[in-house]
PDB file of all heavy atoms in Angstrom:
ATOM      1  N   PRO A   1     -43.659  68.210  48.996  1.00 97.00           N
ATOM      2  CA  PRO A   1     -43.482  69.629  48.654  1.00 97.00           C
ATOM      3  C   PRO A   1     -44.281  69.977  47.423  1.00 97.00           C
ATOM      4  O   PRO A   1     -44.485  69.154  46.520  1.00 97.00           O
ATOM      5  CB  PRO A   1     -41.964  69.743  48.397  1.00 97.00           C
ATOM      6  CG  PRO A   1     -41.520  68.361  48.050  1.00 97.00           C
ATOM      7  CD  PRO A   1     -42.448  67.420  48.757  1.00 97.00           C
ATOM      8  N   THR A   2     -44.712  71.214  47.353  1.00 96.00           N
ATOM      9  CA  THR A   2     -45.345  71.724  46.150  1.00 96.00           C
ATOM     10  C   THR A   2     -44.234  71.828  45.066  1.00 96.00           C
ATOM     11  O   THR A   2     -43.032  71.776  45.411  1.00 96.00           O
ATOM     12  CB  THR A   2     -45.936  73.117  46.383  1.00 96.00           C
ATOM     13  OG1 THR A   2     -44.843  74.040  46.643  1.00 96.00           O
ATOM     14  CG2 THR A   2     -46.937  73.118  47.513  1.00 96.00           C
ATOM     15  N   PRO A   3     -44.603  71.983  43.800  1.00 97.00           N
ATOM     16  CA  PRO A   3     -43.566  72.164  42.792  1.00 97.00           C
ATOM     17  C   PRO A   3     -42.619  73.327  43.074  1.00 97.00           C
ATOM     18  O   PRO A   3     -41.391  73.241  42.850  1.00 97.00           O
ATOM     19  CB  PRO A   3     -44.361  72.405  41.500  1.00 97.00           C
ATOM     20  CG  PRO A   3     -45.654  71.703  41.724  1.00 97.00           C
ATOM     21  CD  PRO A   3     -45.944  71.875  43.221  1.00 97.00           C
ATOM     22  N   GLU A   4     -43.169  74.408  43.597  1.00 97.00           N
ATOM     23  CA  GLU A   4     -42.325  75.580  43.936  1.00 97.00           C
ATOM     24  C   GLU A   4     -41.381  75.240  45.112  1.00 97.00           C
ATOM     25  O   GLU A   4     -40.201  75.609  45.091  1.00 97.00           O
ATOM     26  CB  GLU A   4     -43.171  76.790  44.346  1.00 97.00           C
ATOM     27  CG  GLU A   4     -44.010  77.326  43.205  1.00 97.00           C
ATOM     28  CD  GLU A   4     -45.336  76.554  42.978  1.00 97.00           C
ATOM     29  OE1 GLU A   4     -45.701  75.710  43.810  1.00 97.00           O
ATOM     30  OE2 GLU A   4     -45.983  76.830  41.973  1.00 97.00           O
ATOM     31  N   GLU A   5     -41.876  74.551  46.109  1.00 97.00           N
ATOM     32  CA  GLU A   5     -41.048  74.134  47.235  1.00 97.00           C
ATOM     33  C   GLU A   5     -39.989  73.147  46.788  1.00 97.00           C
ATOM     34  O   GLU A   5     -38.815  73.211  47.216  1.00 97.00           O
ATOM     35  CB  GLU A   5     -41.904  73.502  48.355  1.00 97.00           C
ATOM     36  CG  GLU A   5     -42.792  74.492  49.043  1.00 97.00           C
ATOM     37  CD  GLU A   5     -43.871  73.843  49.930  1.00 97.00           C
ATOM     38  OE1 GLU A   5     -44.158  72.644  49.745  1.00 97.00           O
ATOM     39  OE2 GLU A   5     -44.420  74.555  50.764  1.00 97.00           O
ATOM     40  N   GLN A   6     -40.344  72.263  45.874  1.00 97.00           N
ATOM     41  CA  GLN A   6     -39.394  71.261  45.357  1.00 97.00           C
ATOM     42  C   GLN A   6     -38.253  71.984  44.608  1.00 97.00           C
ATOM     43  O   GLN A   6     -37.088  71.581  44.697  1.00 97.00           O
ATOM     44  CB  GLN A   6     -40.074  70.246  44.465  1.00 97.00           C
ATOM     45  CG  GLN A   6     -39.118  69.133  44.016  1.00 97.00           C
ATOM     46  CD  GLN A   6     -38.555  68.337  45.210  1.00 97.00           C
ATOM     47  OE1 GLN A   6     -39.302  67.801  46.002  1.00 97.00           O
ATOM     48  NE2 GLN A   6     -37.212  68.267  45.299  1.00 97.00           N
ATOM     49  N   ALA A   7     -38.595  73.019  43.888  1.00 97.00           N
ATOM     50  CA  ALA A   7     -37.564  73.776  43.170  1.00 97.00           C
ATOM     51  C   ALA A   7     -36.564  74.406  44.162  1.00 97.00           C
ATOM     52  O   ALA A   7     -35.371  74.429  43.894  1.00 97.00           O
ATOM     53  CB  ALA A   7     -38.193  74.854  42.283  1.00 97.00           C
ATOM     54  N   VAL A   8     -37.067  74.874  45.258  1.00 97.00           N
ATOM     55  CA  VAL A   8     -36.193  75.438  46.302  1.00 97.00           C
ATOM     56  C   VAL A   8     -35.337  74.368  46.906  1.00 97.00           C
ATOM     57  O   VAL A   8     -34.125  74.525  47.106  1.00 97.00           O
ATOM     58  CB  VAL A   8     -37.014  76.168  47.369  1.00 97.00           C
ATOM     59  CG1 VAL A   8     -36.152  76.571  48.532  1.00 97.00           C
ATOM     60  CG2 VAL A   8     -37.729  77.368  46.789  1.00 97.00           C
ATOM     61  N   LEU A   9     -35.927  73.206  47.205  1.00 97.00           N
ATOM     62  CA  LEU A   9     -35.165  72.103  47.781  1.00 97.00           C
ATOM     63  C   LEU A   9     -34.070  71.651  46.780  1.00 97.00           C
ATOM     64  O   LEU A   9     -32.946  71.327  47.202  1.00 97.00           O
ATOM     65  CB  LEU A   9     -36.089  70.922  48.142  1.00 97.00           C
ATOM     66  CG  LEU A   9     -37.106  71.207  49.252  1.00 97.00           C
ATOM     67  CD1 LEU A   9     -38.071  70.021  49.390  1.00 97.00           C
ATOM     68  CD2 LEU A   9     -36.424  71.533  50.550  1.00 97.00           C
ATOM     69  N   ASP A  10     -34.429  71.641  45.507  1.00 98.00           N
ATOM     70  CA  ASP A  10     -33.429  71.260  44.491  1.00 98.00           C
ATOM     71  C   ASP A  10     -32.277  72.276  44.437  1.00 98.00           C
ATOM     72  O   ASP A  10     -31.108  71.889  44.278  1.00 98.00           O
ATOM     73  CB  ASP A  10     -34.094  71.183  43.116  1.00 98.00           C
ATOM     74  CG  ASP A  10     -35.052  70.008  42.976  1.00 98.00           C
ATOM     75  OD1 ASP A  10     -35.005  69.082  43.830  1.00 98.00           O
ATOM     76  OD2 ASP A  10     -35.871  70.039  42.048  1.00 98.00           O
ATOM     77  N   ALA A  11     -32.590  73.539  44.606  1.00 97.00           N
ATOM     78  CA  ALA A  11     -31.561  74.583  44.633  1.00 97.00           C
ATOM     79  C   ALA A  11     -30.619  74.413  45.824  1.00 97.00           C
ATOM     80  O   ALA A  11     -29.406  74.567  45.682  1.00 97.00           O
ATOM     81  CB  ALA A  11     -32.180  75.979  44.659  1.00 97.00           C
ATOM     82  N   ILE A  12     -31.169  74.035  46.940  1.00 97.00           N
ATOM     83  CA  ILE A  12     -30.325  73.794  48.126  1.00 97.00           C
ATOM     84  C   ILE A  12     -29.457  72.593  47.878  1.00 97.00           C
ATOM     85  O   ILE A  12     -28.240  72.613  48.148  1.00 97.00           O
ATOM     86  CB  ILE A  12     -31.216  73.602  49.383  1.00 97.00           C
ATOM     87  CG1 ILE A  12     -31.916  74.905  49.751  1.00 97.00           C
ATOM     88  CG2 ILE A  12     -30.399  73.084  50.561  1.00 97.00           C
ATOM     89  CD1 ILE A  12     -32.981  74.769  50.802  1.00 97.00           C
ATOM     90  N   ASN A  13     -30.027  71.509  47.322  1.00 96.00           N
ATOM     91  CA  ASN A  13     -29.250  70.299  47.082  1.00 96.00           C
ATOM     92  C   ASN A  13     -28.179  70.504  45.998  1.00 96.00           C
ATOM     93  O   ASN A  13     -27.179  69.809  45.992  1.00 96.00           O
ATOM     94  CB  ASN A  13     -30.165  69.155  46.710  1.00 96.00           C
ATOM     95  CG  ASN A  13     -30.975  68.660  47.866  1.00 96.00           C
ATOM     96  OD1 ASN A  13     -30.499  68.673  49.005  1.00 96.00           O
ATOM     97  ND2 ASN A  13     -32.183  68.217  47.611  1.00 96.00           N
ATOM     98  N   ALA A  14     -28.398  71.453  45.080  1.00 98.00           N
ATOM     99  CA  ALA A  14     -27.460  71.719  44.039  1.00 98.00           C
ATOM    100  C   ALA A  14     -26.213  72.507  44.549  1.00 98.00           C
ATOM    101  O   ALA A  14     -25.174  72.510  43.928  1.00 98.00           O
ATOM    102  CB  ALA A  14     -28.098  72.509  42.897  1.00 98.00           C
ATOM    103  N   ASP A  15     -26.395  73.174  45.681  1.00 98.00           N
ATOM    104  CA  ASP A  15     -25.277  73.898  46.286  1.00 98.00           C
ATOM    105  C   ASP A  15     -24.455  72.952  47.123  1.00 98.00           C
ATOM    106  O   ASP A  15     -24.955  72.394  48.128  1.00 98.00           O
ATOM    107  CB  ASP A  15     -25.827  75.050  47.133  1.00 98.00           C
ATOM    108  CG  ASP A  15     -24.710  75.882  47.730  1.00 98.00           C
ATOM    109  OD1 ASP A  15     -24.257  76.844  47.024  1.00 98.00           O
ATOM    110  OD2 ASP A  15     -24.272  75.593  48.867  1.00 98.00           O
ATOM    111  N   MET A  16     -23.207  72.721  46.730  1.00 98.00           N
ATOM    112  CA  MET A  16     -22.372  71.703  47.426  1.00 98.00           C
ATOM    113  C   MET A  16     -22.226  71.998  48.934  1.00 98.00           C
ATOM    114  O   MET A  16     -22.314  71.073  49.733  1.00 98.00           O
ATOM    115  CB  MET A  16     -21.016  71.609  46.756  1.00 98.00           C
ATOM    116  CG  MET A  16     -21.064  71.002  45.376  1.00 98.00           C
ATOM    117  SD  MET A  16     -19.476  70.914  44.526  1.00 98.00           S
ATOM    118  CE  MET A  16     -18.440  70.065  45.669  1.00 98.00           C
ATOM    119  N   ARG A  17     -22.031  73.223  49.281  1.00 98.00           N
ATOM    120  CA  ARG A  17     -21.815  73.570  50.729  1.00 98.00           C
ATOM    121  C   ARG A  17     -23.095  73.341  51.501  1.00 98.00           C
ATOM    122  O   ARG A  17     -23.088  72.757  52.590  1.00 98.00           O
ATOM    123  CB  ARG A  17     -21.357  75.020  50.839  1.00 98.00           C
ATOM    124  CG  ARG A  17     -21.092  75.461  52.251  1.00 98.00           C
ATOM    125  CD  ARG A  17     -19.874  74.782  52.846  1.00 98.00           C
ATOM    126  NE  ARG A  17     -19.675  75.256  54.220  1.00 98.00           N
ATOM    127  CZ  ARG A  17     -19.287  74.500  55.212  1.00 98.00           C
ATOM    128  NH1 ARG A  17     -18.977  73.236  55.006  1.00 98.00           N
ATOM    129  NH2 ARG A  17     -19.161  75.005  56.407  1.00 98.00           N
ATOM    130  N   ALA A  18     -24.226  73.808  50.966  1.00 97.00           N
ATOM    131  CA  ALA A  18     -25.524  73.642  51.678  1.00 97.00           C
ATOM    132  C   ALA A  18     -25.863  72.158  51.803  1.00 97.00           C
ATOM    133  O   ALA A  18     -26.290  71.702  52.855  1.00 97.00           O
ATOM    134  CB  ALA A  18     -26.633  74.377  50.955  1.00 97.00           C
ATOM    135  N   ALA A  19     -25.638  71.392  50.731  1.00 97.00           N
ATOM    136  CA  ALA A  19     -25.935  69.984  50.755  1.00 97.00           C
ATOM    137  C   ALA A  19     -25.051  69.248  51.790  1.00 97.00           C
ATOM    138  O   ALA A  19     -25.538  68.392  52.507  1.00 97.00           O
ATOM    139  CB  ALA A  19     -25.761  69.368  49.357  1.00 97.00           C
ATOM    140  N   ALA A  20     -23.794  69.620  51.838  1.00 97.00           N
ATOM    141  CA  ALA A  20     -22.892  68.973  52.798  1.00 97.00           C
ATOM    142  C   ALA A  20     -23.281  69.318  54.252  1.00 97.00           C
ATOM    143  O   ALA A  20     -23.277  68.433  55.125  1.00 97.00           O
ATOM    144  CB  ALA A  20     -21.443  69.405  52.548  1.00 97.00           C
ATOM    145  N   LEU A  21     -23.655  70.567  54.501  1.00 97.00           N
ATOM    146  CA  LEU A  21     -24.057  70.962  55.837  1.00 97.00           C
ATOM    147  C   LEU A  21     -25.362  70.260  56.233  1.00 97.00           C
ATOM    148  O   LEU A  21     -25.490  69.819  57.377  1.00 97.00           O
ATOM    149  CB  LEU A  21     -24.238  72.472  55.916  1.00 97.00           C
ATOM    150  CG  LEU A  21     -22.924  73.281  55.941  1.00 97.00           C
ATOM    151  CD1 LEU A  21     -23.219  74.768  55.667  1.00 97.00           C
ATOM    152  CD2 LEU A  21     -22.204  73.115  57.269  1.00 97.00           C
ATOM    153  N   GLN A  22     -26.290  70.165  55.279  1.00 96.00           N
ATOM    154  CA  GLN A  22     -27.551  69.485  55.565  1.00 96.00           C
ATOM    155  C   GLN A  22     -27.299  68.018  55.911  1.00 96.00           C
ATOM    156  O   GLN A  22     -27.876  67.459  56.832  1.00 96.00           O
ATOM    157  CB  GLN A  22     -28.485  69.634  54.392  1.00 96.00           C
ATOM    158  CG  GLN A  22     -29.876  69.080  54.654  1.00 96.00           C
ATOM    159  CD  GLN A  22     -30.825  69.383  53.523  1.00 96.00           C
ATOM    160  OE1 GLN A  22     -30.461  69.173  52.363  1.00 96.00           O
ATOM    161  NE2 GLN A  22     -32.005  69.846  53.846  1.00 96.00           N
ATOM    162  N   LYS A  23     -26.429  67.357  55.162  1.00 96.00           N
ATOM    163  CA  LYS A  23     -26.103  65.982  55.429  1.00 96.00           C
ATOM    164  C   LYS A  23     -25.437  65.814  56.806  1.00 96.00           C
ATOM    165  O   LYS A  23     -25.795  64.918  57.591  1.00 96.00           O
ATOM    166  CB  LYS A  23     -25.187  65.428  54.336  1.00 96.00           C
ATOM    167  CG  LYS A  23     -24.844  63.965  54.498  1.00 96.00           C
ATOM    168  CD  LYS A  23     -23.980  63.461  53.357  1.00 96.00           C
ATOM    169  CE  LYS A  23     -23.699  61.990  53.523  1.00 96.00           C
ATOM    170  NZ  LYS A  23     -22.886  61.478  52.386  1.00 96.00           N
ATOM    171  N   GLU A  24     -24.503  66.697  57.115  1.00 95.00           N
ATOM    172  CA  GLU A  24     -23.848  66.638  58.418  1.00 95.00           C
ATOM    173  C   GLU A  24     -24.866  66.874  59.542  1.00 95.00           C
ATOM    174  O   GLU A  24     -24.815  66.156  60.574  1.00 95.00           O
ATOM    175  CB  GLU A  24     -22.754  67.725  58.494  1.00 95.00           C
ATOM    176  CG  GLU A  24     -21.983  67.699  59.794  1.00 95.00           C
ATOM    177  CD  GLU A  24     -20.882  68.732  59.844  1.00 95.00           C
ATOM    178  OE1 GLU A  24     -20.688  69.486  58.863  1.00 95.00           O
ATOM    179  OE2 GLU A  24     -20.193  68.766  60.873  1.00 95.00           O
ATOM    180  N   LEU A  25     -25.770  67.752  59.357  1.00 93.00           N
ATOM    181  CA  LEU A  25     -26.795  68.049  60.382  1.00 93.00           C
ATOM    182  C   LEU A  25     -27.680  66.812  60.573  1.00 93.00           C
ATOM    183  O   LEU A  25     -27.984  66.470  61.724  1.00 93.00           O
ATOM    184  CB  LEU A  25     -27.623  69.252  59.970  1.00 93.00           C
ATOM    185  CG  LEU A  25     -28.663  69.767  60.942  1.00 93.00           C
ATOM    186  CD1 LEU A  25     -28.001  70.099  62.288  1.00 93.00           C
ATOM    187  CD2 LEU A  25     -29.380  70.985  60.391  1.00 93.00           C
ATOM    188  N   ARG A  26     -28.099  66.177  59.520  1.00 92.00           N
ATOM    189  CA  ARG A  26     -28.931  64.989  59.643  1.00 92.00           C
ATOM    190  C   ARG A  26     -28.207  63.881  60.396  1.00 92.00           C
ATOM    191  O   ARG A  26     -28.777  63.221  61.234  1.00 92.00           O
ATOM    192  CB  ARG A  26     -29.343  64.497  58.295  1.00 92.00           C
ATOM    193  CG  ARG A  26     -30.400  65.347  57.623  1.00 92.00           C
ATOM    194  CD  ARG A  26     -30.765  64.821  56.258  1.00 92.00           C
ATOM    195  NE  ARG A  26     -31.801  65.642  55.650  1.00 92.00           N
ATOM    196  CZ  ARG A  26     -31.971  65.732  54.363  1.00 92.00           C
ATOM    197  NH1 ARG A  26     -31.206  65.096  53.526  1.00 92.00           N
ATOM    198  NH2 ARG A  26     -32.956  66.506  53.888  1.00 92.00           N
ATOM    199  N   VAL A  27     -26.901  63.702  60.076  1.00 92.00           N
ATOM    200  CA  VAL A  27     -26.152  62.669  60.769  1.00 92.00           C
ATOM    201  C   VAL A  27     -26.031  62.999  62.266  1.00 92.00           C
ATOM    202  O   VAL A  27     -26.246  62.126  63.112  1.00 92.00           O
ATOM    203  CB  VAL A  27     -24.742  62.518  60.129  1.00 92.00           C
ATOM    204  CG1 VAL A  27     -23.802  61.673  61.011  1.00 92.00           C
ATOM    205  CG2 VAL A  27     -24.879  61.912  58.744  1.00 92.00           C
ATOM    206  N   LEU A  28     -25.717  64.219  62.603  1.00 91.00           N
ATOM    207  CA  LEU A  28     -25.564  64.606  63.996  1.00 91.00           C
ATOM    208  C   LEU A  28     -26.862  64.432  64.746  1.00 91.00           C
ATOM    209  O   LEU A  28     -26.862  63.971  65.899  1.00 91.00           O
ATOM    210  CB  LEU A  28     -25.127  66.074  64.090  1.00 91.00           C
ATOM    211  CG  LEU A  28     -23.692  66.374  63.698  1.00 91.00           C
ATOM    212  CD1 LEU A  28     -23.448  67.878  63.640  1.00 91.00           C
ATOM    213  CD2 LEU A  28     -22.686  65.677  64.617  1.00 91.00           C
ATOM    214  N   MET A  29     -27.959  64.763  64.127  1.00 87.00           N
ATOM    215  CA  MET A  29     -29.261  64.622  64.805  1.00 87.00           C
ATOM    216  C   MET A  29     -29.631  63.143  65.002  1.00 87.00           C
ATOM    217  O   MET A  29     -30.212  62.789  66.028  1.00 87.00           O
ATOM    218  CB  MET A  29     -30.339  65.389  64.044  1.00 87.00           C
ATOM    219  CG  MET A  29     -30.099  66.881  64.092  1.00 87.00           C
ATOM    220  SD  MET A  29     -31.277  67.855  63.213  1.00 87.00           S
ATOM    221  CE  MET A  29     -32.632  67.796  64.356  1.00 87.00           C
ATOM    222  N   ARG A  30     -29.276  62.303  64.060  1.00 85.00           N
ATOM    223  CA  ARG A  30     -29.556  60.884  64.248  1.00 85.00           C
ATOM    224  C   ARG A  30     -28.681  60.297  65.387  1.00 85.00           C
ATOM    225  O   ARG A  30     -29.172  59.500  66.168  1.00 85.00           O
ATOM    226  CB  ARG A  30     -29.238  60.136  62.928  1.00 85.00           C
ATOM    227  CG  ARG A  30     -30.319  60.320  61.918  1.00 85.00           C
ATOM    228  CD  ARG A  30     -30.094  59.452  60.688  1.00 85.00           C
ATOM    229  NE  ARG A  30     -31.088  59.751  59.690  1.00 85.00           N
ATOM    230  CZ  ARG A  30     -30.822  59.991  58.426  1.00 85.00           C
ATOM    231  NH1 ARG A  30     -29.570  59.946  57.992  1.00 85.00           N
ATOM    232  NH2 ARG A  30     -31.755  60.271  57.592  1.00 85.00           N
ATOM    233  N   ILE A  31     -27.436  60.706  65.439  1.00 80.00           N
ATOM    234  CA  ILE A  31     -26.552  60.232  66.502  1.00 80.00           C
ATOM    235  C   ILE A  31     -27.077  60.697  67.859  1.00 80.00           C
ATOM    236  O   ILE A  31     -27.119  59.930  68.824  1.00 80.00           O
ATOM    237  CB  ILE A  31     -25.113  60.710  66.307  1.00 80.00           C
ATOM    238  CG1 ILE A  31     -24.511  60.021  65.066  1.00 80.00           C
ATOM    239  CG2 ILE A  31     -24.253  60.485  67.526  1.00 80.00           C
ATOM    240  CD1 ILE A  31     -23.182  60.576  64.610  1.00 80.00           C
ATOM    241  N   GLU A  32     -27.550  61.937  67.916  1.00 64.00           N
ATOM    242  CA  GLU A  32     -28.046  62.490  69.168  1.00 64.00           C
ATOM    243  C   GLU A  32     -29.251  61.750  69.685  1.00 64.00           C
ATOM    244  O   GLU A  32     -29.470  61.641  70.874  1.00 64.00           O
ATOM    245  CB  GLU A  32     -28.392  63.996  68.971  1.00 64.00           C
ATOM    246  CG  GLU A  32     -28.847  64.691  70.222  1.00 64.00           C
ATOM    247  CD  GLU A  32     -27.786  64.901  71.263  1.00 64.00           C
ATOM    248  OE1 GLU A  32     -26.587  64.790  70.953  1.00 64.00           O
ATOM    249  OE2 GLU A  32     -28.139  65.130  72.426  1.00 64.00           O
ATOM    250  N   THR A  33     -30.074  61.204  68.766  1.00 64.00           N
ATOM    251  CA  THR A  33     -31.301  60.563  69.172  1.00 64.00           C
ATOM    252  C   THR A  33     -31.174  59.050  69.354  1.00 64.00           C
ATOM    253  O   THR A  33     -32.155  58.358  69.694  1.00 64.00           O
ATOM    254  CB  THR A  33     -32.430  60.836  68.190  1.00 64.00           C
ATOM    255  OG1 THR A  33     -32.058  60.334  66.893  1.00 64.00           O
ATOM    256  CG2 THR A  33     -32.770  62.322  68.127  1.00 64.00           C
TER     257      THR A  33
END
């Protein structure tokens, strides 16, 4: 990611709800594949 994109990714990771949903989505997609 560019520095600007990384700042956005950091903002998403700093939000507890967004980070939890992202983690759940990654797990579900790994199980599916």
Side-chain angles (χ1 to χ4, degrees):
T2 65
E4 295 82 9
E5 291 167 341
Q6 186 60 56
V8 171
L9 296 174
D10 291 344
I12 292 169
N13 288 328
D15 183 87
M16 290 177 55
R17 181 72 180 141
L21 287 166
Q22 187 174 46
K23 183 176 181 179
E24 183 178 0
L25 185 57
R26 287 179 178 154
V27 168
L28 290 171
M29 292 179 77
R30 284 186 185 132
I31 291 170
E32 183 69 18
T33 59

